[in-house]
Every structure is written in structure tokens, then in C-alpha cells.
Amino acid sequence: MKGTYCILDDEKDFLIVAEKEFKKYLPDMNGVFTTDSDDAIDLARKDDPVIFIIDIVLGGKTGMEIFQRLSAVSKKVRAIFITGDENFINDDNVRNQILLEGSVDLMEKPIKWHELAIKVKNNMQLLLYQCNLEEIIAERTQQLIHADRLATVGTMVSSIVHEISSPLTFIKANQEMCRYAYDKVKKMTDDKEVLSVFDTLILPSVEESMNGIGWIEELLHSFRRFYRRDDTASEVNFSELFAEVKNLTSYNIRHNNINFSVEISKSAPKKIICKKQELIQVITNIVNNAVDAFEETVGMKGQKELKIVVSGDDFMTNVVISNNGPAIPKDVFERMFEPFFTTKKAEKGTGLGLAISRQILKFMGGTIYVENKSEKHPTVDFIITIPKTYNA
Ligand SMILES: Nc1ncnc2c1ncn2[C@@H]1O[C@H](COP(=O)(O)OP(=O)(O)OP(=O)(O)O)[C@@H](O)[C@H]1O
Ligand SMILES: [Mg+2]
């Protein structure tokens, strides 16, 4: 067992016997034998788990005073007090006081070494368990704070969507005003130069702006739908669903020159009953993960391909999302569905995407698994199965 014990006693002969006995009964643990309380303090400062076995009377100080100092230095220390002093042994008040002061046990000299070794071992086990739990709690607390921050980002995005919508309305109205002005000018003049300024400069810019506005509006719609809580299952049409996935990911796809295709096979159900936004969330995450994988690959040769194929029958729908980017490294492959596991920079990935996707699909009675790229298999495939109907 890992962990350290430290015997602090001012009798040198006692320490020599203690060392011999403890090496016999606790051969795997690290032992420190000392008459000097400063050695004990130095050991506690390392902040590793230590069980101290302390004589109640130590030169000018009491064992309890020393233990108080040790506890002030580290929370990972425990004490078993020992004494050969008849006054302590027979005084119940002192015994109670010692246990109340925070020691885990009290033993009398002459020591039964085997019994003391078992007590050290048991208390070390408890201490290690407690330290481990505290680390897990600290880590989970950080994760919760992070998740909370993400929820705030979600709220911010919905208010940004709202803020963009208002100016967009009058930008659009102004473009329409330009078209209206042109119609008016055409009726007022047949001056070729004036009309040509409209035809070659103003109107093409207006058309381009209107396309851009339409595109922003589509994006805002997708964002709105994405952030709206969609708690009820409904009939979802696959073509519509993938159109939204494309909207939400279009910038990343174009920016990385990826060829993105969706193929819905004849056998596939055209519609399924599910919570649309949740399924969009699952597929969008897988698509964005593939984009990130392409982005991180330096000098990839050939066309980047991202393909979604939907197939299935009357009972089950299969969605396979494949990319021809790099194979997933073995250590990542083994952990990628764990909550908060990510290989991305803090501002880019939270490591929740696949863990949430698996939860969502599990709730639908479906599954998600990955087939990695290998010599025999040219793509990384995320395979999703969804029952045609489920008890939503
Ligand atoms: N197509 C892929 N190719 C290579 N690695 C991938 C792929 N998809 C996922 N991964 C790996 O799995 C990890 C976990 O993915 P997951 O979607 O759960 O979290 P994330 O993308 O890191 O963060 P986010 O919460 O923003 O989705 C990624 O960080 C990445 O290392
Ligand atoms: Mg992700």
C-alpha cells in the first residue's frame, strides 16, 4: 500500500524496535522514525497522506500540541497517540480528550506491534480514500462551474441573435428602398449614364446584400431553433433536419474546403418521431468534430470528404457520418465518450459533445459507436442507430 507513516518518540531505543517491527509488518509503506518534531513538520509540508504515531509526552511539548501544528500544515495527516505513562492510561478524561482532539486512536506501551500495524494500515486506507474523494469533488466542482459558464454562453448567443435581428430588419428595408428608388428613377429619366450606374453598380450590390441578409436570417433561424427548448417529440423529416445541420455548420465547412454530402437511401424512412433539436445537436457535434479533425491535420493530401448516409428499414434508422481525415489515436478513441474528455483548446472544446450525444441517443433507445480509420477502412465513421419510434 502506498502512503507514509511517521513514528515520533523521544526514546531512541523505542524507535529502533519500532523500525524493525514496522518493516516486518508494513514492508510496502514508507516509514520515517524520528525524535525531532521539526522532521515531522517537514514531512507534513509535503502534503502527502501521512499517519503519525506520536508519543503523548515529547520533551517539553505534548503530542497533541505537535499534532495541532501538523494539522495546520496539512489536511492529509492523521495521528495515533501512544503512551506508557500510567497517569494517562488510567485517566479517562485524558483519554477522551486525546480522541476528541482529532487523533484516530490511542495505544498503550508496551506496544502490540502487529495490532498497531493493522491500525496504521486501516487508517491509511481511509485517508487515501478520503483524499481521492476530495480530489474528485474538486474536479467535479470545476466541471460544474464550466458547464454553468457554457449555459451562460447559450443565453448570450440567444440575446445576440435578438440584437442582430433588429438592425437586420432596417438594413433589409433600406435595400428594398434602393430597388424602389431605381424603379422611380427609370420612370423619371432615360439618361443612359444614370441608368447604367444603377444597372452596373447599385443594383448588383443591392442583390448581393440581399443574398447576404437572407443567409444571416437563415442562420439566425437555425440558432433560434437550436437554443429553444424543444421538449416534445414530433415527426421529423430527414431532409429538413440535414438542411439545418448544413446551416449551422456551413461557415466551418466552406472555410475548410470540405466536400459535404448527404445521401438518403431509398430504403430509409423519410421521417422519424424524435426531438428534432436534440438530433440536430448530435449530428452537428459529429460534423463539427470532423471539421476540427481536418483543421488540425497539417498538409492533408486530396479532397476533404464529409459524408452522411442515411439508411434503414421499417424499424430502425441508421445514420453514418464519415470523414476521410486522420485516424483517431488509440488513447483518444478509448476515452472520447467520457464527459469532459477533450483534446481541444479550452476556448474550442468542452469535451461534452459525444457524452451528451450518447445520452440523447440512449434516451431515444438508439446507439452511437465509432469505427476508426485503418488500413482496411478508409474513413472515420460515426454510426448512429435510432428506432423508428420511441416512447418519447
Ligand atoms: N472525427 C473525429 N476525428 C478525430 N478525433 C475526434 C473526432 N471526433 C471526436 N474526436 C475526439 O474526441 C474528443 C471528444 O469529442 P467531443 O465532441 O465529446 O468533445 P469536443 O469536441 O472536444 O468538445 P465539445 O464539447 O465542444 O464537443 C475530441 O476532443 C477529439 O479529440
Ligand atoms: Mg465536439
Side-chain angles (χ1 to χ4, degrees), residues 139-327:
E139 195 185 322
R140 292 279 191 280
T141 309
Q142 281 308 315
Q143 290 171 349
L144 280 176
I145 293 169
H146 192 57
D148 190 46
R149 219 178 295 145
L150 289 178
T152 316
V153 172
T155 318
M156 267 165 56
V157 170
S158 54
S159 69
I160 290 171
V161 167
H162 181 75
E163 290 301 311
I164 295 175
S165 300
S166 319
L168 203 63
T169 315
F170 62 75
I171 293 172
K172 195 172 167 187
N174 289 347
Q175 301 304 313
E176 270 155 12
M177 184 57 80
C178 283
R179 281 178 175 160
Y180 176 74
Y182 174 63
D183 288 342
K184 281 232 151 206
V185 169
K186 258 202 312 198
K187 281 181 197 149
M188 284 156 62
T189 178
D190 46 14
D191 183 328
K192 288 209 167 59
E193 260 183 69
V194 171
L195 292 177
S196 138
V197 169
F198 269 92
D199 283 334
T200 58
L201 294 173
I202 299 177
L203 276 192
S205 313
V206 168
E207 286 315 312
E208 217 171 282
S209 303
M210 287 302 269
N211 282 341
I213 291 166
W215 188 15
I216 296 172
E217 278 177 336
E218 259 314 302
L219 254 173
L220 295 182
H221 276 138
S222 296
F223 278 138
R224 253 190 227 114
R225 282 190 290 265
F226 192 74
Y227 280 105
R228 198 171 47 208
R229 278 190 73 86
D230 171 3
D231 282 329
T232 47
S234 59
E235 210 171 50
V236 174
N237 175 311
F238 274 117
S239 317
E240 280 173 20
L241 185 135
F242 289 118
E244 288 212 15
V245 171
K246 279 192 166 173
N247 258 339
L248 287 165
T249 55
S250 64
Y251 174 77
N252 290 341
I253 297 280
R254 264 183 302 115
H255 185 67
N256 286 285
N257 288 322
I258 298 167
N259 191 11
F260 184 15
S261 63
V262 178
E263 186 185 308
I264 302 178
S265 77
K266 284 208 177 88
S267 68
K270 298 285 167 284
K271 296 168 177 177
I272 57 163
I273 307 283
C274 73
K275 291 179 182 169
K276 187 176 171 192
Q277 290 315 317
E278 289 190 350
L279 199 52
I280 289 177
Q281 186 179 346
V282 169
I283 295 168
T284 304
N285 175 57
I286 297 173
V287 168
N288 281 332
N289 280 351
V291 173
D292 289 340
F294 280 128
E295 209 165 52
E296 281 158 20
T297 324
V298 195
M300 180 180 157
K301 289 188 193 117
Q303 174 63 51
K304 297 169 186 164
E305 297 281 351
L306 178 55
K307 190 171 181 185
I308 300 185
V309 177
V310 187
S311 61
D313 52 33
D314 285 348
F315 304 100
M316 202 59 106
T317 308
N318 301 314
V319 183
V320 182
I321 305 155
S322 319
N323 73 77
N324 63 346

Side-chain angles (χ1 to χ4, degrees), residues 25-235:
Y25 291 119
L26 297 171
D28 300 332
M29 283 180 74
N30 188 21
V32 176
F33 305 86
T34 181
T35 53
D36 187 344
S37 59
D38 286 343
D39 288 347
I41 301 282
D42 287 345
L43 186 61
R45 278 208 181 96
K46 291 187 185 157
D47 207 29
D48 289 329
V50 185
I51 305 287
F52 285 95
I53 298 118
I54 311 176
D55 197 352
I56 290 183
V57 186
L58 262 167
K61 294 188 194 102
T62 70
M64 277 84 81
E65 280 169 343
I66 294 170
F67 184 55
Q68 272 171 357
R69 286 175 61 197
L70 293 170
S71 307
V73 171
S74 167
K75 295 276 165 283
K76 297 182 188 166
V77 294
R78 299 290 179 270
I80 297 173
F81 287 111
I82 48 174
T83 183
D85 190 323
E86 293 275 324
N87 294 329
F88 287 119
I89 294 167
N90 298 326
D91 187 335
D92 279 350
N93 282 338
V94 173
R95 294 176 70 97
N96 291 344
Q97 193 57 36
I98 288 169
L99 291 169
L100 286 171
E101 295 271 336
S103 91
V104 289
D105 220 322
L106 171 67
M107 280 188 81
E108 292 154 15
K109 290 181 179 174
I111 297 291
K112 289 177 187 153
W113 293 104
H114 186 230
E115 195 178 311
L116 179 57
I118 292 173
K119 288 184 173 175
V120 169
K121 208 165 154 179
N122 288 348
N123 280 297
M124 179 52 83
Q125 232 156 17
L126 271 177
L127 181 56
L128 290 173
Y129 185 64
Q130 189 179 341
C131 293
N132 189 25
L133 276 183
E134 275 167 12
E135 268 171 34
I136 293 173
I137 289 170
E139 195 185 322
R140 292 279 191 280
T141 309
Q142 281 308 315
Q143 290 171 349
L144 280 176
I145 293 169
H146 192 57
D148 190 46
R149 219 178 295 145
L150 289 178
T152 316
V153 172
T155 318
M156 267 165 56
V157 170
S158 54
S159 69
I160 290 171
V161 167
H162 181 75
E163 290 301 311
I164 295 175
S165 300
S166 319
L168 203 63
T169 315
F170 62 75
I171 293 172
K172 195 172 167 187
N174 289 347
Q175 301 304 313
E176 270 155 12
M177 184 57 80
C178 283
R179 281 178 175 160
Y180 176 74
Y182 174 63
D183 288 342
K184 281 232 151 206
V185 169
K186 258 202 312 198
K187 281 181 197 149
M188 284 156 62
T189 178
D190 46 14
D191 183 328
K192 288 209 167 59
E193 260 183 69
V194 171
L195 292 177
S196 138
V197 169
F198 269 92
D199 283 334
T200 58
L201 294 173
I202 299 177
L203 276 192
S205 313
V206 168
E207 286 315 312
E208 217 171 282
S209 303
M210 287 302 269
N211 282 341
I213 291 166
W215 188 15
I216 296 172
E217 278 177 336
E218 259 314 302
L219 254 173
L220 295 182
H221 276 138
S222 296
F223 278 138
R224 253 190 227 114
R225 282 190 290 265
F226 192 74
Y227 280 105
R228 198 171 47 208
R229 278 190 73 86
D230 171 3
D231 282 329
T232 47
S234 59
E235 210 171 50

Side-chain angles (χ1 to χ4, degrees), residues 346-363:
E347 69 274 10
K348 206 158 186 207
T350 64
L352 279 172
L354 289 175
I356 292 175
S357 298
R358 179 163 271 175
Q359 274 306 109
I360 290 175
L361 287 162
K362 199 169 157 194
F363 185 73

